[in-house]
Amino acid sequence: PFVLLLLDYWPLNRVATDHRSLTTLLLEKLPLIALSAVSSALTHWAQTEAIVSTATIPLMDRVANALVAYVAYLGQFFYPVGLSVFYPYSNGGLPGWKIFGAMLLLASISTASWRARRRCPYWPVGWFWYLGMMVPVIGLVQVGSQAMADRYTYLPQIGLSVGLAWGAADWIGAQPGRRRLGVAVAAIVTLELMICAWQQVSYWRDSRSLWSQAVAHTSRNGIAHHHLGLALLDENRNDEAAAEFRKMVQLKPDFDEAHRLLGVSLARDGHFQEAVDAFQEALRLRPDSIETYDGLAWALACLGRKSDAVEAARRAAVLAERRGDVHAAAELRRRWNAYRNDPSKKSTPHRGNAAP
């Protein structure tokens, strides 16, 4: 509805030609505003479990991140390289110079756009389109643990495109020389964006490429290290997977799944004692993990510790029964009873699908 108000100003010129007051135009949009309010309330309700409290990320930190994100998205609009599928929140907080610089830049562009409203009305419309449409997704209401998300910019950046397109048309005017230059620049920019798009799409060909790109272009990105480790584990590149899970453990030492997957990758690579240590740390953090007990049993079996392995497998089966997963409990008992009768029949630990 508020974008429609901008369009009422320009290009529809309803404010000037119809002499309508802002109140009249707002009343006209009330049904749409009501629908937006209902949609917002439903979205908030649906995302309740994913919404991060202000105790975890204080409001001032969110405002600071929003200012910096506005500028980062603006930079990506003009230079879309080094993108990531996930941008982590800065644990230590953003530097003051970056926050102040972002605030100063946004204020300067907003002031310049407003001052140009009579001569170039497309500038304030395009700019405030961008600023306004980013508000619901800029992180003031934080959903998930990302600091930014490129997918949120598709509609807001239309405003920037509007400002640039009409600004270029105004600059070119009827001058043949500028028109030829405009065509050349447009062709170069289009070619550049085609190359950037081709390159970006190539990162989505498989999980390893996608998360490798995220690791390369962000810092302290535990989510990216975790998912890259999973991708490498699926390809049986166990030593590389272990390196990624170690980084995840360093960034988030209380995440039990990272320790468990580190144990899986180490055990698959033949480092059984280190795997046992990783599994035991995972159990210290989460004592009721069936998958961790199963992995621990496998690592212990590979070390020749038969009785310890059977005991760990028994605990996994008991936990499965307590959860009501009779099939999993029966399968665990079957596999480990076979091992007890013939130690050469060792189980293989589950990778699992848990994410941080």
Side-chain angles (χ1 to χ4, degrees):
F2 296 104
V3 171
L4 293 179
L5 283 172
L6 289 173
L7 297 179
D8 281 337
Y9 175 72
W10 180 89
L12 299 179
N13 296 319
R14 297 181 68 203
V15 179
T17 56
D18 295 353
H19 303 288
R20 300 189 183 192
S21 67
L22 182 60
T23 303
T24 303
L25 293 173
L26 277 171
L27 288 173
E28 180 185 84
K29 307 296 188 297
L30 276 180
L32 296 175
I33 292 173
L35 286 173
S36 295
V38 171
S39 176
S40 298
L42 289 174
T43 301
H44 192 278
W45 173 77
Q47 297 278 12
T48 299
E49 293 184 2
I51 292 175
V52 180
S53 70
T54 52
T56 303
I57 303 179
L59 181 58
M60 291 309 297
D61 287 354
R62 300 181 187 201
V63 172
N65 183 76
L67 292 170
V68 174
Y70 265 119
V71 175
Y73 289 140
L74 190 60
Q76 290 176 350
F77 174 75
F78 289 101
Y79 190 59
V81 298
L83 306 180
S84 172
V85 68
F86 182 84
Y87 299 89
Y89 232 93
S90 176
N91 291 331
L94 293 163
W97 67 266
K98 185 174 284 190
I99 300 169
F100 179 76
M103 184 168 55
L104 184 62
L105 179 62
L106 294 173
S108 299
I109 298 175
S110 299
T111 302
S113 298
W114 179 253
R115 288 182 176 177
R117 68 188 183 279
R118 298 191 186 279
R119 184 170 53 87
C120 307
Y122 45 81
W123 283 126
V125 170
W127 177 247
F128 291 113
W129 176 319
Y130 169 67
L131 290 184
M133 286 202 76
M134 286 300 306
V135 169
V137 292
I138 201 64
L140 299 178
V141 178
Q142 182 69 28
V143 178
S145 57
Q146 73 281 345
M148 292 169 47
D150 302 331
R151 61 186 178 277
Y152 293 152
T153 66
Y154 298 144
L155 296 178
Q157 287 180 347
I158 292 174
L160 300 177
S161 300
V162 166
L164 284 176
W166 266 265
D170 256 8
W171 180 80
I172 291 171
Q175 299 184 39
R178 288 188 177 183
R179 183 169 296 180
R180 286 192 291 271
L181 178 60
V183 169
V185 171
I188 292 170
V189 170
T190 302
L191 178 61
E192 175 211 4
L193 293 177
M194 288 172 62
I195 293 170
C196 288
W198 174 80
Q199 183 66 41
Q200 185 64 25
V201 168
S202 72
Y203 298 131
W204 289 79
R205 65 181 180 270
D206 55 53
S207 295
R208 178 164 56 85
S209 300
L210 181 65
W211 292 106
S212 294
Q213 165 76 356
V215 166
H217 292 283
T218 58
S219 60
R220 300 184 61 80
N221 195 338
I223 300 286
H225 286 297
H226 177 85
H227 285 284
L228 178 56
L230 289 175
L232 292 167
L233 205 56
D234 285 342
E235 296 178 8
N236 289 318
R237 299 168 66 164
N238 300 310
D239 56 338
E240 296 175 64
E244 297 302 324
F245 292 128
R246 287 189 194 279
K247 291 172 183 175
M248 178 58 179
V249 165
Q250 291 171 0
L251 293 170
K252 198 171 181 181
D254 59 343
F255 181 48
D256 66 282
E257 190 67 8
H259 291 278
R260 184 185 76 81
L261 290 167
L262 174 60
V264 171
S265 54
L266 288 169
R268 287 187 180 182
D269 210 32
H271 304 291
F272 302 117
Q273 185 55 57
E274 291 180 69
V276 168
D277 295 339
F279 286 129
Q280 288 176 337
E281 179 61 19
L283 288 171
R284 185 187 69 79
L285 294 167
R286 185 185 170 193
D288 63 344
S289 172
I290 299 170
E291 293 85 357
T292 305
Y293 269 116
D294 190 30
L296 176 61
W298 182 59
L300 290 168
C302 290
L303 287 172
R305 296 166 59 179
K306 180 178 177 180
S307 59
D308 292 336
V310 171
E311 174 60 20
R314 186 191 67 80
R315 292 189 182 184
V318 169
L319 286 170
E321 288 170 348
R322 287 177 183 172
R323 291 186 189 176
D325 195 340
V326 179
H327 175 75
E331 176 62 17
L332 283 164
R333 292 188 186 281
R334 183 194 65 78
R335 285 194 286 113
W336 289 100
N337 281 334
Y339 163 73
R340 183 160 44 191
N341 296 327
D342 183 358
S344 66
K345 296 180 179 180
K346 294 187 287 291
S347 177
T348 302
H350 296 293
R351 190 207 79 170
N353 296 310

